[in-house]
Amino acid sequence: MARFYGKELTRQSHRNLPRTYFPNGITQEKKKTGSEMQGVLIVLIITLVASEKGPFIDRFGGASIGQNRMNHWLFLMERLIMVEEYLKQSVIDKESVMVFRDWFPHLLFRYKEIIDRQKGNGCKILKFHLCTHMANDIVKWGPPSAYNSASGESSHKMLKKRAKKDSACHRNV
């Protein structure tokens, strides 16, 4: 169903819509890039809402429990898309950052409740903690779109080679 809705979304004229069609499905083993994750969320929301929720209720716990859990997941996915769009802005006014500073911790709390990660350290990881500083970082450095390198690991190969050469030189001294 996700493949069907993703392909249908590619037939519209809105140019800023993220990639929504994944021929091998949205749950394939291949890792998605950060720009593709927003498209995955959009496809998931549409698939859950448009499919009359029936086939998915059992996977979420059945009957009223499943409906409630699915609604929580829909809430979370919608808010994550909103945050993604907010952070893409080239200019963010100070007043909206103050609103974001108050609102975002509540979203992170709901995220932890809904995800309920049991494996590993749960949400006690550096990536999650750094999100708590996002509003202060926007005030300090401006919108993330202004300083996001987004080059990916493959672009760092030259810098890594140089760093290894420099560290080898310092060890030989």
Side-chain angles (χ1 to χ4, degrees), residues 122-144:
C123 284
K124 296 175 186 165
I125 54 177
L126 183 60
K127 285 182 179 182
F128 189 81
H129 173 75
L130 291 176
C131 289
T132 63
H133 300 284
M134 199 172 307
N136 292 332
D137 292 344
I138 293 171
V139 170
K140 190 174 184 178
W141 292 309

Side-chain angles (χ1 to χ4, degrees), residues 7-24:
K7 189 153 185 117
E8 290 301 310
L9 284 169
T10 62
R11 298 173 193 221
Q12 52 79 42
S13 61
H14 195 281
R15 296 288 175 228
N16 294 330
L17 187 72
R19 179 178 172 214
T20 56
Y21 179 60
F22 305 96
N24 297 325

Side-chain angles (χ1 to χ4, degrees), residues 7-68:
K7 189 153 185 117
E8 290 301 310
L9 284 169
T10 62
R11 298 173 193 221
Q12 52 79 42
S13 61
H14 195 281
R15 296 288 175 228
N16 294 330
L17 187 72
R19 179 178 172 214
T20 56
Y21 179 60
F22 305 96
N24 297 325
I26 56 174
T27 59
Q28 69 184 6
E29 291 296 317
K30 180 182 169 262
K31 292 189 177 185
K32 310 259 187 303
T33 64
S35 62
E36 292 175 321
M37 294 309 292
Q38 190 176 16
V40 169
L41 289 175
I42 291 170
V43 170
L44 275 173
I45 289 170
I46 291 173
T47 302
L48 289 173
V49 172
S51 66
E52 300 174 10
K53 301 177 186 175
F56 298 104
I57 295 297
D58 291 335
R59 293 179 188 231
F60 281 94
S64 63
I65 293 171
Q67 182 67 47
N68 195 25

Side-chain angles (χ1 to χ4, degrees), residues 16-124:
N16 294 330
L17 187 72
R19 179 178 172 214
T20 56
Y21 179 60
F22 305 96
N24 297 325
I26 56 174
T27 59
Q28 69 184 6
E29 291 296 317
K30 180 182 169 262
K31 292 189 177 185
K32 310 259 187 303
T33 64
S35 62
E36 292 175 321
M37 294 309 292
Q38 190 176 16
V40 169
L41 289 175
I42 291 170
V43 170
L44 275 173
I45 289 170
I46 291 173
T47 302
L48 289 173
V49 172
S51 66
E52 300 174 10
K53 301 177 186 175
F56 298 104
I57 295 297
D58 291 335
R59 293 179 188 231
F60 281 94
S64 63
I65 293 171
Q67 182 67 47
N68 195 25
R69 284 185 71 205
M70 190 164 72
N71 288 337
H72 287 307
W73 277 89
L74 286 169
F75 167 87
L76 181 61
M77 289 186 283
E78 290 168 355
R79 294 326 182 269
L80 290 174
I81 291 172
M82 287 171 42
V83 169
E84 179 85 21
E85 284 301 311
Y86 176 75
L87 296 175
K88 282 183 181 178
Q89 296 180 86
S90 58
V91 176
I92 301 177
D93 61 285
K94 196 166 187 160
E95 187 177 304
S96 74
V97 176
M98 296 305 125
V99 171
F100 182 73
R101 179 184 285 165
D102 294 337
W103 175 82
F104 196 59
H106 298 291
L107 178 65
L108 292 175
F109 178 77
R110 290 290 306 271
Y111 177 90
K112 282 171 55 172
E113 277 185 333
I114 293 167
I115 297 294
D116 192 25
R117 189 169 177 220
Q118 300 291 320
K119 293 184 181 178
N121 293 328
C123 284
K124 296 175 186 165

